[in-house]
Amino acid sequence: MNVTVIGTGFVGVVTAGVFAHFDNDVFALDVLADKINSLSKGEVPFYEPKLSELVGEGIAKGKLTFTTDYTTAIKDADVIMISVGTPSAADGTADLKYLKSAAASLAPHLKDGTIVAIKSTVPPGTNQIVREIIEKSTSKNFHLVSLPEFLKEGSAVDDTMHPDRVVIGATDKKVIDLLLALHEPISGTRIIVSPESAQMAKYASNAYLAQRITFINQVANLCEKNGANIDEVTKVMGADSRIGSHYWYPGLGYGGSCFPKDVKELAAYSLSINEGDGLFVKLDELNDTRIPKLMNKFEEKVGGFEGKTVAVLGLSFKPNTDDMREAPALKVIPILQQKGAEVRAFDPKANAIARIMFDPAVIVDSLDEAVRNSDIVMVLVEWPEFTTKQPEYFKHIMSGNYFIDARNQFNRREFENSGLTYIGIGQS
Ligand code: UGA
């Protein structure tokens, strides 16, 4: 099939690479010429496991072409997938300006019968807006559907090839059959729903997961006051099959490019249709204030940060990505500095980006360099490069004794036996 993906952000590049891998003829289109030049040479502008190889393979097989040219990319497309960004607008709702611009640009070049699928995260009702824009510039028949994306950064290629579900938001039988055929090599349960349900489900899924993380973080706060241990509490709760024991490890709150934005957008969307936004606003507030509150707790436990050298480990928002959007380090490092600490920070993949966001002198080249002679170690992200280290490694090269495990990834008893003072989340 001829597939065109508009927008070469995270979702766009992965989607284009995967459909090219399954032998479709894919155009990946963006208005950013520099980005398209790099991608055409197989250079992916962010770190994501397996993605460079996938893009390289698509280009080498002649199945994946990067372009800025709407005419070439649209005129023969059977399916167009729009995966441009939908950042939050000033009022908190999803800003549809890139989506509208893509719709206006593709419309004059459409062939008859093309399927235009919105992959970007957008509120229900968006299809009507996009339909009106496209109809202004074409008299051709086209089908507008929703194909929400559920991939996670760090495992995006695997998630796209083997998702839990493939959601098709469409009503026309022929369109549904064609999209089912396109997704045939991809595993996962097929769920056919209306476009509105597909779009609502995407926001609701992200907000639900964000809520789950926030919930357990709130319970962790209680554990810190009453002698309970959050890891034991989740073990008990998770044994209830209605609850399950996945996806709620406690920590510094949720970050990344999706959850914080999507919870805010859902709150604003809710208000815009005259519904209460209380739950979503509260989630956002609890998540936003979590790091400053935890930093006060840590400060008390280590007897103040003033004059101490702190090794901050992990600068991306989670492991296996160099994405620093809404990463905990963006809040943690300024707080440490403001409290008078000397920070030495390290990340296995995000150092280059971090050097743009912070004074480059703060970012060091290796784990050893960060940890050596530090008074306090703070692990913000569970990179395997950190979590596979034994307590003796830290004990031998640190000057001080405080080990803050902000993701509850290390064995408390082993760390205490080696003479370190272990500080975790949700345990006193
Ligand atoms: C998230 C969703 O998981 C995807 O399904 C969705 O497609 C994507 O957003 C999107 O809308 O594009 P992602 O942001 O890549 O994916 O990352 P997650 O692995 O879900 O983690 C989000 C945040 O929650 C991270 O800060 C992570 O550290 C935190 N988290 C996650 C926890 O604090 N505890 C957990 O148990 C899991």
Side-chain angles (χ1 to χ4, degrees), residues 197-267:
S197 298
Q199 288 164 345
M200 190 69 253
K202 167 67 193 193
Y203 269 120
S205 298
N206 275 4
Y208 179 80
L209 293 171
Q211 167 280 136
R212 192 171 161 99
I213 295 166
T214 307
F215 179 90
I216 219 61
N217 284 336
Q218 290 301 109
V219 176
N221 289 348
L222 305 184
C223 294
E224 283 169 21
K225 299 249 169 82
N226 61 21
N229 179 315
I230 189 67
D231 295 335
E232 292 180 353
V233 173
T234 51
K235 200 170 166 187
V236 175
M237 290 172 66
D240 185 328
S241 59
R242 294 169 303 174
I243 299 176
S245 54
H246 54 280
Y247 206 85
W248 61 357
Y249 66 83
L252 295 162
Y254 54 81
S257 63
C258 302
F259 287 178
K261 174 181 93 68
D262 289 353
V263 169
K264 283 184 178 53
E265 286 180 6
L266 194 55

Side-chain angles (χ1 to χ4, degrees), residues 77-81 113-117 142-143 145 174-175 178-179:
D78 301 309
V79 180
I80 298 169
M81 298 185 190
T114 298
I115 297 173
V116 180
F142 66 94
H143 305 278
V145 307
K174 268 198 201 144
V175 170
L178 199 130
L179 290 171

